[in-house]
DNA sequence: CGCCAGGGCCTCA
DNA sequence: TGAGGCCATGGC
């Protein structure tokens, strides 16, 4: 069986650079690898809001449409988010689903940022910041890690249903494994490199969508040779 | 029409 | 701590 880095290289060879996280500025999306600097506070805020919106929801078009709505109203802004009525916010993010919960969670998040501004949060150690984010309503491990990695540029590997599916099929672990155990495996198996974590997770999502679906489409899968699951076919 | 998507919270045992 | 119900949209 291949090791993690070999899997990464195979995926990268096949799908190319992904350039997550899309940060929309005036309706455009900017691949983060082109920025070559830390995100601005506004961009970090947008990534965090996107992380709330993305939970159990299709990024495209559900979340994208919501973020465009927010940008149109110049709502990626703490003061404006603080002022906007929760019901109004819910309407703007309706396309993301669970909009009442998400609007409430985002409002609480904005309130939280008023006490602990992004400029201070970004200076914290990864694990310390992770604990703080996890204490927020609506922020579970995946959402926290998405914010850490794609917003704050902290090396915290994002584990999602796709990661669990792909790597259990490859034979790295069985599908009952916990989030923290999977993450530990990635943290020990790879160098703690933000750009590597960023690309790897994005490649995992791409691969899951193209081939490693719930009902796997193994024809043309670049990991066919490495995969235990494929052998059943 | 049912299933799925870049989950997480709450409740109950 | 684990299972189950709930939140809700849009694409296929």
């Amino acid at each position: 069986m291949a090791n993690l880095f070999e899997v990464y290289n195979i995926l990268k060879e096949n799908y190319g650079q992904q350039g997550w996280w899309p940060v929309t500025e005036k309706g455009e999306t900017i691949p983060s690898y082109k920025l070559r600097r830390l995100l601005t506070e506004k961009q970090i805020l947008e990534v965090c809001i996107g992380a709330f919106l993305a939970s159990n929801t299709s990024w495209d078009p559900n979340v994208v449409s919501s973020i465009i709505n927010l940008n149109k109203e110049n709502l990626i802004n703490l003061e404006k988010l603080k002022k906007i009525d929760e019901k109004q916010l819910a309407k703007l993010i309706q396309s993301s689903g669970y909009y009442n919960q998400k609007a409430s969670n985002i409002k609480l998040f904005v309130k939280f940022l008023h006490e602990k501004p992004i400029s201070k949060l970004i200076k914290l150690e990864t694990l310390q910041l992770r604990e703080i984010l996890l204490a927020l309503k609506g922020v579970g491990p995946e959402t926290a890690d998405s914010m850490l990695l794609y917003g704050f540029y902290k090396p915290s590997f994002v584990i999602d249903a796709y990661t669990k599916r792909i790597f259990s099929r490859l034979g790295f672990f069985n599908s009952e494994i916990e989030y923290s155990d999977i993450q530990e495996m990635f943290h020990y198996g790879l160098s703690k490199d933000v750009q590597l974590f960023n690309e790897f997770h994005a490649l995992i999502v791409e691969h899951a969508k193209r081939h490693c679906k719930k009902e796997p489409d193994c024809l043309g899968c670049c990991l066919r040779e490495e995969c235990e699951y494929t052998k059943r076919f």
Side-chain angles (χ1 to χ4, degrees):
Chain A
M1 182 173 63
N3 66 37
L4 286 177
F5 194 62
E6 286 165 349
V7 171
Y8 169 72
N9 281 320
I10 292 170
L11 292 176
K12 187 180 171 190
E13 187 72 22
N14 254 267
Y15 300 121
Q17 194 157 33
Q18 301 300 301
W20 277 26
W21 183 299
V23 173
T24 59
E25 286 267 351
K26 297 168 187 170
E28 300 175 349
T29 59
I30 306 170
S32 59
Y33 65 85
K34 284 191 177 171
L35 296 176
R36 302 207 177 284
R37 55 166 171 76
L38 294 181
L39 298 182
T40 64
E41 289 187 29
K42 179 173 185 281
Q43 289 169 328
I44 293 174
L45 176 61
E46 188 186 286
V47 168
C48 290
I49 290 171
F52 276 106
L53 296 179
S55 96
N56 203 34
T57 301
S58 307
W59 178 264
D60 192 8
N62 299 47
V63 176
V64 171
S65 158
S66 297
I67 293 181
I68 288 173
N69 283 343
L70 295 177
N71 269 310
K72 268 184 197 160
E73 310 282 331
N74 286 318
L75 270 165
I76 309 298
N77 173 295
L78 286 182
E79 293 312 312
K80 295 201 174 178
L81 281 172
K82 189 178 170 187
K83 284 179 194 160
I84 191 173
D85 179 65
E86 193 172 306
K87 302 269 184 188
Q88 232 176 311
L89 178 59
K91 185 161 282 183
L92 289 168
I93 62 172
Q94 183 177 6
S95 62
S96 296
Y98 313 113
Y99 46 83
N100 290 317
Q101 288 185 353
K102 286 173 179 177
S104 166
N105 292 338
I106 289 170
K107 288 290 277 184
L108 287 171
F109 181 61
V110 169
K111 197 171 290 180
F112 158 78
L113 287 180
H114 192 66
E115 297 162 16
K116 309 235 164 145
I118 288 172
S119 58
K120 291 192 178 171
L121 292 178
I122 201 167
K123 291 176 184 166
L124 298 175
E125 293 295 321
T126 306
L127 287 179
Q128 193 184 355
L129 179 52
R130 190 170 192 272
E131 287 309 307
I132 291 173
L133 295 174
L134 282 173
L136 297 167
K137 223 170 259 176
V139 181
E142 188 186 339
T143 304
D145 289 327
S146 295
M147 292 176 177
L148 286 165
L149 185 60
Y150 292 101
F152 293 97
Y153 284 5
K154 305 285 185 187
S156 202
F157 206 94
V158 178
I159 309 299
D160 58 2
Y162 292 151
T163 313
K164 192 182 287 190
R165 186 197 297 162
I166 291 174
F167 287 88
S168 61
R169 283 177 181 168
L170 285 171
F172 280 80
F173 44 71
N174 64 44
S175 55
E176 277 115 63
I177 191 172
E178 283 184 23
Y179 190 104
S180 56
D181 293 323
I182 305 181
Q183 191 180 47
E184 195 171 297
M185 191 188 81
F186 279 86
H187 284 178
Y188 277 104
L190 301 166
S191 57
K192 289 202 175 179
D193 176 339
V194 171
Q195 206 48 238
L196 169 64
F197 283 14
N198 178 324
E199 282 296 316
F200 202 169
H201 174 68
L203 285 166
I204 286 167
V205 172
E206 187 63 20
H207 183 59
K209 284 179 177 167
R210 301 246 202 130
H211 289 284
C212 212
K213 311 169 188 176
K214 196 146 202 173
E215 216 32 62
D217 186 3
C218 301
L219 187 62
C221 172
C222 59
L223 291 172
R224 222 187 148 89
E225 303 301 313
E226 334 291 332
C227 191
E228 296 184 355
Y229 196 84
T230 313
K231 293 173 186 166
R232 292 204 231 141
F233 289 84

